[in-house]
Amino acid sequence: MRHNKALNHLGRKSGHRKALMSNLASSLILHKRITTTVAKAKALRSYVEPLITKSKEDTTHSRRVVFSYLKDKKAVSELFRTVAPKIADRPGGYTRVLHIGFRAGDAAEMALIELVDFNEAALATTKPAAKKTTRRSSKKTETAPAAETPAPEAPATEAPAEPAEEKTAE
């Protein structure tokens, strides 16, 4: 039975598994997005998210604790300098795992794991969606966009209308 055995051993001994997770976490922090197998991505998520949470508090102790897991000076400095300020407001869920298909050689299921706040494409699509109004919104918010939309259209419709009138006048 598998009771209370949450750790995926990934078919490796503990030393090899720790080195693998350390290298994957360093690559994820430095590159903000990596491609790996689904099993490794899921294991990496549970490995790196506590480190990101630890990086919110920039103290010597938290840097030393994170360094003991990552063993990479550049990754630790990147984590504390660029990643931590960007995720300071987020309560958790710093990574996203996206399934991308199967590997050609052995048909292993592949995934893309990325830091959520560093995906500009996803951030760009969520911002316009937040600006849409719903039926439940107040009338003040509905009238403001309605007043703004005809103003840019009015000059565009007037310009073609004038040459059309001149042609009919001739």
Side-chain angles (χ1 to χ4, degrees), residues 16-75:
H16 187 188
R17 190 172 51 251
K18 287 175 187 175
L20 172 74
M21 287 294 115
S22 174
N23 289 331
L24 283 173
S26 296
S27 295
L28 178 64
I29 291 166
L30 291 174
H31 300 291
K32 312 300 187 271
R33 171 186 302 179
I34 58 172
T35 303
T36 184
T37 62
V38 172
K40 287 178 190 172
K42 287 180 178 179
L44 177 61
R45 180 175 49 192
S46 64
Y47 183 87
V48 78
E49 291 211 3
L51 298 180
I52 296 173
T53 302
K54 186 66 106 170
S55 72
K56 287 182 176 182
E57 183 182 353
D58 191 6
T59 61
T60 305
H61 177 66
S62 61
R63 279 183 179 265
R64 286 178 178 167
V65 169
V66 170
F67 183 76
S68 72
Y69 282 93
L70 294 181
K71 298 173 181 60
D72 186 3
K73 231 189 251 190
K74 291 179 183 176

